[in-house]
Amino acid sequence: MAGKMVVLCEGRHDLIFLSLLLERAGRNVLSRNWDQICKKSDLSGERRVIQDFLRTRERSSVLIKQDNNRDTCIHHFWMIYGYADERYSLKMVLDSDNGITLRNLKDEMQQATQKDLLNSESVCSFSLKAEAESGIFLYPTTLTKSVFEQTGKNLNNLHDGDSQRNVLGEFLERDVEWVRELERFLM
């Protein structure tokens, strides 16, 4: 593995949060949101974003790719997994949504691969049987709910990126057990 990692997430808050978390750990991060990817034209945009990231002149070690929603993210994870190569590990971070995400993930996995590829590492973390460096992390609830519980601030009421970034930075300063587990998962 060349040390590069592609991380899929489902929303803007996740994109900002994961960028802050990885930057705090000293990783060079390249972030792409749904609109930036769609400009590159449908499914070829997915591949093109990853291929651009893998080019030797790209100094970032992590690509965080935000999808439109949970189900799109899950679908793209298995699509990308199908054409993945050893130059990068593939990870996905989603809200658990009371078990809905895991159920949808397993259904999509069965359709895409015709087998179960998940090893449960913890309540939140899953590795792939065929590729130990790749995996899936599910927030215990939702990122928005966890942030509100810790800071008293609702990310959905903040409409500019700087405000969201500040609140998520404040959240990262708290000692939250699943955040430490997410750090281990991503590193």
Side-chain angles (χ1 to χ4, degrees), residues 6-51:
V6 175
V7 180
L8 280 65
C9 63
E10 65 180 303
R12 179 186 171 127
H13 300 147
D14 303 296
L15 183 68
I16 296 168
F17 174 67
L18 293 169
S19 295
L20 287 170
L21 186 68
L22 288 162
E23 288 166 1
R24 180 172 84 167
R27 301 290 298 264
N28 290 331
V29 176
L30 176 64
S31 299
R32 292 291 179 257
N33 67 36
W34 181 247
D35 294 332
Q36 292 168 319
I37 296 165
C38 288
K39 287 179 186 174
K40 296 208 183 248
S41 79
D42 299 331
L43 295 179
S44 65
E46 295 284 325
R47 288 188 181 132
R48 183 165 295 129
V49 166
I50 293 172
Q51 291 304 318

mmCIF file of all heavy atoms in Angstrom, residues 6-51:
data_model
loop_
_atom_site.group_PDB
_atom_site.id
_atom_site.type_symbol
_atom_site.label_atom_id
_atom_site.label_comp_id
_atom_site.label_asym_id
_atom_site.label_seq_id
_atom_site.Cartn_x
_atom_site.Cartn_y
_atom_site.Cartn_z
ATOM 1 N N VAL A 6 -8.503 6.790 0.536
ATOM 2 C CA VAL A 6 -9.714 7.437 0.060
ATOM 3 C C VAL A 6 -10.777 7.207 1.123
ATOM 4 O O VAL A 6 -11.032 6.063 1.513
ATOM 5 C CB VAL A 6 -10.168 6.865 -1.301
ATOM 6 C CG1 VAL A 6 -11.503 7.474 -1.728
ATOM 7 C CG2 VAL A 6 -9.099 7.090 -2.364
ATOM 8 N N VAL A 7 -11.383 8.302 1.610
ATOM 9 C CA VAL A 7 -12.420 8.228 2.640
ATOM 10 C C VAL A 7 -13.713 8.781 2.054
ATOM 11 O O VAL A 7 -13.743 9.915 1.586
ATOM 12 C CB VAL A 7 -12.032 9.034 3.899
ATOM 13 C CG1 VAL A 7 -13.125 8.933 4.953
ATOM 14 C CG2 VAL A 7 -10.694 8.566 4.457
ATOM 15 N N LEU A 8 -14.765 7.983 2.081
ATOM 16 C CA LEU A 8 -16.077 8.433 1.627
ATOM 17 C C LEU A 8 -16.906 8.834 2.829
ATOM 18 O O LEU A 8 -16.855 8.171 3.878
ATOM 19 C CB LEU A 8 -16.799 7.307 0.888
ATOM 20 C CG LEU A 8 -16.413 7.040 -0.553
ATOM 21 C CD1 LEU A 8 -14.983 6.567 -0.661
ATOM 22 C CD2 LEU A 8 -17.349 6.020 -1.159
ATOM 23 N N CYS A 9 -17.663 9.919 2.690
ATOM 24 C CA CYS A 9 -18.584 10.345 3.742
ATOM 25 C C CYS A 9 -19.839 10.888 3.083
ATOM 26 O O CYS A 9 -19.859 11.147 1.884
ATOM 27 C CB CYS A 9 -17.938 11.376 4.662
ATOM 28 S SG CYS A 9 -17.483 12.932 3.890
ATOM 29 N N GLU A 10 -20.891 11.106 3.890
ATOM 30 C CA GLU A 10 -22.168 11.417 3.275
ATOM 31 C C GLU A 10 -22.564 12.881 3.287
ATOM 32 O O GLU A 10 -23.486 13.255 2.576
ATOM 33 C CB GLU A 10 -23.284 10.589 3.923
ATOM 34 C CG GLU A 10 -23.530 10.916 5.377
ATOM 35 C CD GLU A 10 -24.633 10.080 5.982
ATOM 36 O OE1 GLU A 10 -25.757 10.101 5.467
ATOM 37 O OE2 GLU A 10 -24.358 9.410 6.980
ATOM 38 N N GLY A 11 -21.966 13.726 4.064
ATOM 39 C CA GLY A 11 -22.464 15.090 4.136
ATOM 40 C C GLY A 11 -21.385 16.131 4.355
ATOM 41 O O GLY A 11 -20.224 15.810 4.635
ATOM 42 N N ARG A 12 -21.788 17.382 4.226
ATOM 43 C CA ARG A 12 -20.868 18.514 4.375
ATOM 44 C C ARG A 12 -20.233 18.552 5.761
ATOM 45 O O ARG A 12 -19.039 18.798 5.910
ATOM 46 C CB ARG A 12 -21.619 19.801 4.090
ATOM 47 C CG ARG A 12 -20.773 21.032 4.242
ATOM 48 C CD ARG A 12 -21.597 22.301 4.086
ATOM 49 N NE ARG A 12 -20.778 23.430 4.446
ATOM 50 C CZ ARG A 12 -20.606 24.474 3.684
ATOM 51 N NH1 ARG A 12 -21.210 24.530 2.524
ATOM 52 N NH2 ARG A 12 -19.858 25.466 4.085
ATOM 53 N N HIS A 13 -21.044 18.318 6.811
ATOM 54 C CA HIS A 13 -20.502 18.308 8.176
ATOM 55 C C HIS A 13 -19.428 17.239 8.327
ATOM 56 O O HIS A 13 -18.401 17.464 8.960
ATOM 57 C CB HIS A 13 -21.602 18.075 9.215
ATOM 58 C CG HIS A 13 -22.668 19.118 9.194
ATOM 59 N ND1 HIS A 13 -23.972 18.829 9.484
ATOM 60 C CD2 HIS A 13 -22.634 20.445 8.917
ATOM 61 C CE1 HIS A 13 -24.701 19.928 9.380
ATOM 62 N NE2 HIS A 13 -23.908 20.921 9.032
ATOM 63 N N ASP A 14 -19.676 16.070 7.747
ATOM 64 C CA ASP A 14 -18.703 14.973 7.809
ATOM 65 C C ASP A 14 -17.414 15.358 7.088
ATOM 66 O O ASP A 14 -16.322 15.069 7.579
ATOM 67 C CB ASP A 14 -19.282 13.705 7.180
ATOM 68 C CG ASP A 14 -20.576 13.274 7.824
ATOM 69 O OD1 ASP A 14 -20.543 12.924 9.013
ATOM 70 O OD2 ASP A 14 -21.606 13.293 7.145
ATOM 71 N N LEU A 15 -17.548 15.990 5.939
ATOM 72 C CA LEU A 15 -16.382 16.401 5.159
ATOM 73 C C LEU A 15 -15.511 17.358 5.969
ATOM 74 O O LEU A 15 -14.295 17.185 6.055
ATOM 75 C CB LEU A 15 -16.839 17.060 3.854
ATOM 76 C CG LEU A 15 -15.768 17.492 2.869
ATOM 77 C CD1 LEU A 15 -15.061 16.288 2.283
ATOM 78 C CD2 LEU A 15 -16.398 18.323 1.753
ATOM 79 N N ILE A 16 -16.124 18.344 6.597
ATOM 80 C CA ILE A 16 -15.384 19.307 7.419
ATOM 81 C C ILE A 16 -14.776 18.617 8.636
ATOM 82 O O ILE A 16 -13.597 18.797 8.946
ATOM 83 C CB ILE A 16 -16.302 20.471 7.860
ATOM 84 C CG1 ILE A 16 -16.774 21.278 6.650
ATOM 85 C CG2 ILE A 16 -15.585 21.381 8.863
ATOM 86 C CD1 ILE A 16 -17.897 22.265 6.969
ATOM 87 N N PHE A 17 -15.572 17.800 9.325
ATOM 88 C CA PHE A 17 -15.120 17.113 10.532
ATOM 89 C C PHE A 17 -13.927 16.204 10.245
ATOM 90 O O PHE A 17 -12.906 16.248 10.942
ATOM 91 C CB PHE A 17 -16.282 16.306 11.128
ATOM 92 C CG PHE A 17 -15.916 15.452 12.294
ATOM 93 C CD1 PHE A 17 -15.519 16.019 13.496
ATOM 94 C CD2 PHE A 17 -15.965 14.070 12.204
ATOM 95 C CE1 PHE A 17 -15.181 15.222 14.591
ATOM 96 C CE2 PHE A 17 -15.639 13.267 13.281
ATOM 97 C CZ PHE A 17 -15.245 13.850 14.469
ATOM 98 N N LEU A 18 -14.033 15.378 9.216
ATOM 99 C CA LEU A 18 -12.946 14.454 8.895
ATOM 100 C C LEU A 18 -11.700 15.209 8.440
ATOM 101 O O LEU A 18 -10.582 14.806 8.770
ATOM 102 C CB LEU A 18 -13.405 13.457 7.830
ATOM 103 C CG LEU A 18 -14.491 12.479 8.290
ATOM 104 C CD1 LEU A 18 -15.066 11.709 7.107
ATOM 105 C CD2 LEU A 18 -13.971 11.542 9.354
ATOM 106 N N SER A 19 -11.876 16.302 7.711
ATOM 107 C CA SER A 19 -10.731 17.132 7.311
ATOM 108 C C SER A 19 -10.009 17.673 8.534
ATOM 109 O O SER A 19 -8.777 17.604 8.630
ATOM 110 C CB SER A 19 -11.186 18.295 6.425
ATOM 111 O OG SER A 19 -11.716 17.836 5.214
ATOM 112 N N LEU A 20 -10.770 18.210 9.497
ATOM 113 C CA LEU A 20 -10.171 18.743 10.730
ATOM 114 C C LEU A 20 -9.445 17.652 11.509
ATOM 115 O O LEU A 20 -8.326 17.858 11.989
ATOM 116 C CB LEU A 20 -11.247 19.376 11.618
ATOM 117 C CG LEU A 20 -11.816 20.709 11.174
ATOM 118 C CD1 LEU A 20 -13.032 21.075 12.022
ATOM 119 C CD2 LEU A 20 -10.757 21.803 11.253
ATOM 120 N N LEU A 21 -10.080 16.494 11.629
ATOM 121 C CA LEU A 21 -9.508 15.382 12.386
ATOM 122 C C LEU A 21 -8.186 14.930 11.767
ATOM 123 O O LEU A 21 -7.193 14.734 12.469
ATOM 124 C CB LEU A 21 -10.513 14.228 12.432
ATOM 125 C CG LEU A 21 -10.171 13.030 13.286
ATOM 126 C CD1 LEU A 21 -10.204 13.406 14.761
ATOM 127 C CD2 LEU A 21 -11.174 11.911 13.024
ATOM 128 N N LEU A 22 -8.166 14.774 10.461
ATOM 129 C CA LEU A 22 -6.958 14.302 9.776
ATOM 130 C C LEU A 22 -5.880 15.378 9.715
ATOM 131 O O LEU A 22 -4.691 15.073 9.849
ATOM 132 C CB LEU A 22 -7.309 13.795 8.381
ATOM 133 C CG LEU A 22 -8.069 12.467 8.398
ATOM 134 C CD1 LEU A 22 -8.783 12.222 7.080
ATOM 135 C CD2 LEU A 22 -7.133 11.330 8.734
ATOM 136 N N GLU A 23 -6.270 16.630 9.531
ATOM 137 C CA GLU A 23 -5.288 17.718 9.547
ATOM 138 C C GLU A 23 -4.642 17.833 10.922
ATOM 139 O O GLU A 23 -3.442 18.077 11.031
ATOM 140 C CB GLU A 23 -5.951 19.036 9.141
ATOM 141 C CG GLU A 23 -6.287 19.094 7.660
ATOM 142 C CD GLU A 23 -7.222 20.225 7.280
ATOM 143 O OE1 GLU A 23 -7.636 21.036 8.161
ATOM 144 O OE2 GLU A 23 -7.561 20.313 6.077
ATOM 145 N N ARG A 24 -5.445 17.645 11.966
ATOM 146 C CA ARG A 24 -4.920 17.668 13.338
ATOM 147 C C ARG A 24 -3.861 16.585 13.538
ATOM 148 O O ARG A 24 -2.905 16.764 14.291
ATOM 149 C CB ARG A 24 -6.083 17.483 14.326
ATOM 150 C CG ARG A 24 -5.678 17.498 15.773
ATOM 151 C CD ARG A 24 -6.868 17.502 16.669
ATOM 152 N NE ARG A 24 -7.369 16.160 16.892
ATOM 153 C CZ ARG A 24 -8.245 15.838 17.815
ATOM 154 N NH1 ARG A 24 -8.761 16.771 18.589
ATOM 155 N NH2 ARG A 24 -8.638 14.603 17.962
ATOM 156 N N ALA A 25 -3.999 15.480 12.813
ATOM 157 C CA ALA A 25 -3.036 14.379 12.906
ATOM 158 C C ALA A 25 -1.856 14.576 11.949
ATOM 159 O O ALA A 25 -1.010 13.697 11.825
ATOM 160 C CB ALA A 25 -3.735 13.056 12.608
ATOM 161 N N GLY A 26 -1.815 15.711 11.267
ATOM 162 C CA GLY A 26 -0.696 16.016 10.394
ATOM 163 C C GLY A 26 -0.783 15.429 8.992
ATOM 164 O O GLY A 26 0.214 15.399 8.279
ATOM 165 N N ARG A 27 -1.946 14.957 8.602
ATOM 166 C CA ARG A 27 -2.105 14.392 7.257
ATOM 167 C C ARG A 27 -2.460 15.493 6.256
ATOM 168 O O ARG A 27 -3.202 16.418 6.575
ATOM 169 C CB ARG A 27 -3.216 13.340 7.244
ATOM 170 C CG ARG A 27 -3.023 12.163 8.191
ATOM 171 C CD ARG A 27 -1.913 11.204 7.820
ATOM 172 N NE ARG A 27 -2.056 10.531 6.571
ATOM 173 C CZ ARG A 27 -2.567 9.321 6.400
ATOM 174 N NH1 ARG A 27 -2.997 8.634 7.431
ATOM 175 N NH2 ARG A 27 -2.643 8.782 5.203
ATOM 176 N N ASN A 28 -1.943 15.399 5.040
ATOM 177 C CA ASN A 28 -2.313 16.301 3.951
ATOM 178 C C ASN A 28 -3.605 15.793 3.344
ATOM 179 O O ASN A 28 -3.665 14.652 2.876
ATOM 180 C CB ASN A 28 -1.225 16.347 2.871
ATOM 181 C CG ASN A 28 0.020 17.038 3.351
ATOM 182 O OD1 ASN A 28 -0.040 17.913 4.201
ATOM 183 N ND2 ASN A 28 1.152 16.640 2.805
ATOM 184 N N VAL A 29 -4.630 16.638 3.347
ATOM 185 C CA VAL A 29 -5.966 16.220 2.957
ATOM 186 C C VAL A 29 -6.416 16.957 1.702
ATOM 187 O O VAL A 29 -6.254 18.170 1.593
ATOM 188 C CB VAL A 29 -6.970 16.494 4.101
ATOM 189 C CG1 VAL A 29 -8.382 16.158 3.698
ATOM 190 C CG2 VAL A 29 -6.577 15.718 5.351
ATOM 191 N N LEU A 30 -6.997 16.211 0.783
ATOM 192 C CA LEU A 30 -7.662 16.759 -0.388
ATOM 193 C C LEU A 30 -9.143 16.447 -0.217
ATOM 194 O O LEU A 30 -9.511 15.281 -0.072
ATOM 195 C CB LEU A 30 -7.112 16.103 -1.660
ATOM 196 C CG LEU A 30 -7.758 16.481 -2.984
ATOM 197 C CD1 LEU A 30 -7.532 17.962 -3.296
ATOM 198 C CD2 LEU A 30 -7.211 15.608 -4.105
ATOM 199 N N SER A 31 -9.990 17.476 -0.197
ATOM 200 C CA SER A 31 -11.426 17.284 -0.004
ATOM 201 C C SER A 31 -12.171 17.579 -1.294
ATOM 202 O O SER A 31 -11.861 18.556 -1.981
ATOM 203 C CB SER A 31 -11.954 18.229 1.085
ATOM 204 O OG SER A 31 -11.333 17.981 2.304
ATOM 205 N N ARG A 32 -13.146 16.757 -1.596
ATOM 206 C CA ARG A 32 -14.004 16.977 -2.755
ATOM 207 C C ARG A 32 -15.447 16.773 -2.332
ATOM 208 O O ARG A 32 -15.811 15.727 -1.796
ATOM 209 C CB ARG A 32 -13.678 16.008 -3.898
ATOM 210 C CG ARG A 32 -12.338 16.257 -4.529
ATOM 211 C CD ARG A 32 -12.341 17.570 -5.310
ATOM 212 N NE ARG A 32 -11.075 17.845 -5.910
ATOM 213 C CZ ARG A 32 -10.189 18.723 -5.430
ATOM 214 N NH1 ARG A 32 -10.434 19.394 -4.333
ATOM 215 N NH2 ARG A 32 -9.052 18.931 -6.063
ATOM 216 N N ASN A 33 -16.287 17.793 -2.577
ATOM 217 C CA ASN A 33 -17.697 17.645 -2.236
ATOM 218 C C ASN A 33 -18.485 17.167 -3.446
ATOM 219 O O ASN A 33 -17.969 17.079 -4.561
ATOM 220 C CB ASN A 33 -18.269 18.944 -1.647
ATOM 221 C CG ASN A 33 -18.325 20.080 -2.653
ATOM 222 O OD1 ASN A 33 -18.582 19.879 -3.827
ATOM 223 N ND2 ASN A 33 -18.068 21.287 -2.187
ATOM 224 N N TRP A 34 -19.737 16.857 -3.221
ATOM 225 C CA TRP A 34 -20.601 16.260 -4.238
ATOM 226 C C TRP A 34 -20.651 17.108 -5.503
ATOM 227 O O TRP A 34 -20.549 16.595 -6.607
ATOM 228 C CB TRP A 34 -21.989 16.071 -3.637
ATOM 229 C CG TRP A 34 -22.996 15.456 -4.540
ATOM 230 C CD1 TRP A 34 -24.104 16.054 -5.049
ATOM 231 C CD2 TRP A 34 -23.010 14.119 -5.053
ATOM 232 N NE1 TRP A 34 -24.812 15.182 -5.832
ATOM 233 C CE2 TRP A 34 -24.155 13.984 -5.847
ATOM 234 C CE3 TRP A 34 -22.163 13.027 -4.910
ATOM 235 C CZ2 TRP A 34 -24.481 12.805 -6.495
ATOM 236 C CZ3 TRP A 34 -22.492 11.853 -5.564
ATOM 237 C CH2 TRP A 34 -23.638 11.746 -6.344
ATOM 238 N N ASP A 35 -20.794 18.422 -5.359
ATOM 239 C CA ASP A 35 -20.885 19.301 -6.523
ATOM 240 C C ASP A 35 -19.599 19.272 -7.344
ATOM 241 O O ASP A 35 -19.642 19.262 -8.578
ATOM 242 C CB ASP A 35 -21.199 20.735 -6.098
ATOM 243 C CG ASP A 35 -22.580 20.863 -5.479
ATOM 244 O OD1 ASP A 35 -23.473 20.052 -5.826
ATOM 245 O OD2 ASP A 35 -22.771 21.766 -4.650
ATOM 246 N N GLN A 36 -18.450 19.264 -6.695
ATOM 247 C CA GLN A 36 -17.176 19.223 -7.406
ATOM 248 C C GLN A 36 -17.023 17.913 -8.187
ATOM 249 O O GLN A 36 -16.489 17.903 -9.291
ATOM 250 C CB GLN A 36 -16.005 19.368 -6.426
ATOM 251 C CG GLN A 36 -15.921 20.725 -5.781
ATOM 252 C CD GLN A 36 -14.938 20.730 -4.622
ATOM 253 O OE1 GLN A 36 -14.883 19.790 -3.829
ATOM 254 N NE2 GLN A 36 -14.176 21.805 -4.511
ATOM 255 N N ILE A 37 -17.491 16.827 -7.627
ATOM 256 C CA ILE A 37 -17.378 15.521 -8.280
ATOM 257 C C ILE A 37 -18.333 15.429 -9.460
ATOM 258 O O ILE A 37 -17.960 14.962 -10.535
ATOM 259 C CB ILE A 37 -17.645 14.380 -7.270
ATOM 260 C CG1 ILE A 37 -16.562 14.390 -6.192
ATOM 261 C CG2 ILE A 37 -17.718 13.028 -7.972
ATOM 262 C CD1 ILE A 37 -16.899 13.579 -4.978
ATOM 263 N N CYS A 38 -19.565 15.913 -9.275
ATOM 264 C CA CYS A 38 -20.568 15.837 -10.348
ATOM 265 C C CYS A 38 -20.161 16.655 -11.562
ATOM 266 O O CYS A 38 -20.535 16.328 -12.682
ATOM 267 C CB CYS A 38 -21.932 16.294 -9.836
ATOM 268 S SG CYS A 38 -22.678 15.098 -8.729
ATOM 269 N N LYS A 39 -19.409 17.713 -11.376
ATOM 270 C CA LYS A 39 -18.939 18.518 -12.505
ATOM 271 C C LYS A 39 -18.061 17.695 -13.432
ATOM 272 O O LYS A 39 -17.883 18.036 -14.587
ATOM 273 C CB LYS A 39 -18.148 19.735 -12.007
ATOM 274 C CG LYS A 39 -19.014 20.791 -11.390
ATOM 275 C CD LYS A 39 -18.181 21.949 -10.904
ATOM 276 C CE LYS A 39 -19.053 22.937 -10.164
ATOM 277 N NZ LYS A 39 -18.286 24.002 -9.541
ATOM 278 N N LYS A 40 -17.514 16.620 -12.926
ATOM 279 C CA LYS A 40 -16.618 15.772 -13.729
ATOM 280 C C LYS A 40 -17.402 14.697 -14.491
ATOM 281 O O LYS A 40 -16.817 13.790 -15.038
ATOM 282 C CB LYS A 40 -15.555 15.135 -12.839
ATOM 283 C CG LYS A 40 -14.646 16.164 -12.210
ATOM 284 C CD LYS A 40 -13.311 15.583 -11.944
ATOM 285 C CE LYS A 40 -12.443 16.581 -11.254
ATOM 286 N NZ LYS A 40 -11.356 17.031 -12.058
ATOM 287 N N SER A 41 -18.703 14.773 -14.482
ATOM 288 C CA SER A 41 -19.608 13.938 -15.281
ATOM 289 C C SER A 41 -19.841 12.527 -14.730
ATOM 290 O O SER A 41 -19.063 11.615 -14.924
ATOM 291 C CB SER A 41 -19.179 13.854 -16.739
ATOM 292 O OG SER A 41 -18.132 12.937 -16.923
ATOM 293 N N ASP A 42 -20.941 12.371 -14.053
ATOM 294 C CA ASP A 42 -21.479 11.087 -13.598
ATOM 295 C C ASP A 42 -20.449 10.146 -12.977
ATOM 296 O O ASP A 42 -19.599 10.557 -12.237
ATOM 297 C CB ASP A 42 -22.204 10.369 -14.744
ATOM 298 C CG ASP A 42 -23.371 11.194 -15.261
ATOM 299 O OD1 ASP A 42 -23.935 11.960 -14.483
ATOM 300 O OD2 ASP A 42 -23.694 11.060 -16.447
ATOM 301 N N LEU A 43 -20.542 8.852 -13.301
ATOM 302 C CA LEU A 43 -19.684 7.855 -12.686
ATOM 303 C C LEU A 43 -18.224 8.019 -13.082
ATOM 304 O O LEU A 43 -17.334 7.676 -12.314
ATOM 305 C CB LEU A 43 -20.165 6.445 -13.044
ATOM 306 C CG LEU A 43 -21.538 6.069 -12.501
ATOM 307 C CD1 LEU A 43 -21.915 4.663 -12.949
ATOM 308 C CD2 LEU A 43 -21.598 6.178 -11.004
ATOM 309 N N SER A 44 -17.965 8.547 -14.273
ATOM 310 C CA SER A 44 -16.572 8.772 -14.642
ATOM 311 C C SER A 44 -15.956 9.835 -13.740
ATOM 312 O O SER A 44 -14.752 9.858 -13.536
ATOM 313 C CB SER A 44 -16.447 9.165 -16.115
ATOM 314 O OG SER A 44 -17.069 10.419 -16.337
ATOM 315 N N GLY A 45 -16.789 10.723 -13.177
ATOM 316 C CA GLY A 45 -16.306 11.716 -12.226
ATOM 317 C C GLY A 45 -15.746 11.070 -10.981
ATOM 318 O O GLY A 45 -14.727 11.500 -10.453
ATOM 319 N N GLU A 46 -16.396 10.014 -10.524
ATOM 320 C CA GLU A 46 -15.907 9.262 -9.363
ATOM 321 C C GLU A 46 -14.497 8.745 -9.623
ATOM 322 O O GLU A 46 -13.598 8.931 -8.826
ATOM 323 C CB GLU A 46 -16.816 8.054 -9.081
ATOM 324 C CG GLU A 46 -18.210 8.390 -8.676
ATOM 325 C CD GLU A 46 -18.284 8.870 -7.255
ATOM 326 O OE1 GLU A 46 -17.530 8.378 -6.400
ATOM 327 O OE2 GLU A 46 -19.107 9.754 -6.996
ATOM 328 N N ARG A 47 -14.331 8.084 -10.728
ATOM 329 C CA ARG A 47 -13.026 7.510 -11.065
ATOM 330 C C ARG A 47 -11.989 8.601 -11.315
ATOM 331 O O ARG A 47 -10.842 8.475 -10.903
ATOM 332 C CB ARG A 47 -13.138 6.609 -12.288
ATOM 333 C CG ARG A 47 -13.855 5.331 -11.977
ATOM 334 C CD ARG A 47 -13.790 4.373 -13.149
ATOM 335 N NE ARG A 47 -14.508 3.174 -12.802
ATOM 336 C CZ ARG A 47 -15.398 2.592 -13.575
ATOM 337 N NH1 ARG A 47 -15.664 3.077 -14.761
ATOM 338 N NH2 ARG A 47 -16.011 1.498 -13.197
ATOM 339 N N ARG A 48 -12.396 9.650 -12.006
ATOM 340 C CA ARG A 48 -11.454 10.719 -12.335
ATOM 341 C C ARG A 48 -10.941 11.405 -11.071
ATOM 342 O O ARG A 48 -9.749 11.700 -10.973
ATOM 343 C CB ARG A 48 -12.098 11.742 -13.265
ATOM 344 C CG ARG A 48 -11.106 12.828 -13.673
ATOM 345 C CD ARG A 48 -11.558 13.652 -14.835
ATOM 346 N NE ARG A 48 -11.628 12.809 -16.015
ATOM 347 C CZ ARG A 48 -12.703 12.740 -16.813
ATOM 348 N NH1 ARG A 48 -13.764 13.449 -16.554
ATOM 349 N NH2 ARG A 48 -12.705 11.959 -17.863
ATOM 350 N N VAL A 49 -11.808 11.649 -10.102
ATOM 351 C CA VAL A 49 -11.382 12.280 -8.850
ATOM 352 C C VAL A 49 -10.328 11.414 -8.157
ATOM 353 O O VAL A 49 -9.311 11.912 -7.684
ATOM 354 C CB VAL A 49 -12.596 12.544 -7.918
ATOM 355 C CG1 VAL A 49 -12.169 12.871 -6.507
ATOM 356 C CG2 VAL A 49 -13.459 13.668 -8.478
ATOM 357 N N ILE A 50 -10.553 10.111 -8.116
ATOM 358 C CA ILE A 50 -9.587 9.202 -7.479
ATOM 359 C C ILE A 50 -8.304 9.118 -8.297
ATOM 360 O O ILE A 50 -7.207 9.161 -7.739
ATOM 361 C CB ILE A 50 -10.214 7.808 -7.246
ATOM 362 C CG1 ILE A 50 -11.331 7.924 -6.199
ATOM 363 C CG2 ILE A 50 -9.153 6.806 -6.800
ATOM 364 C CD1 ILE A 50 -12.146 6.674 -6.011
ATOM 365 N N GLN A 51 -8.411 9.020 -9.605
ATOM 366 C CA GLN A 51 -7.214 8.946 -10.449
ATOM 367 C C GLN A 51 -6.372 10.218 -10.326
ATOM 368 O O GLN A 51 -5.143 10.144 -10.268
ATOM 369 C CB GLN A 51 -7.589 8.684 -11.910
ATOM 370 C CG GLN A 51 -8.150 7.297 -12.162
ATOM 371 C CD GLN A 51 -7.213 6.189 -11.706
ATOM 372 O OE1 GLN A 51 -6.017 6.240 -11.892
ATOM 373 N NE2 GLN A 51 -7.787 5.170 -11.079
#
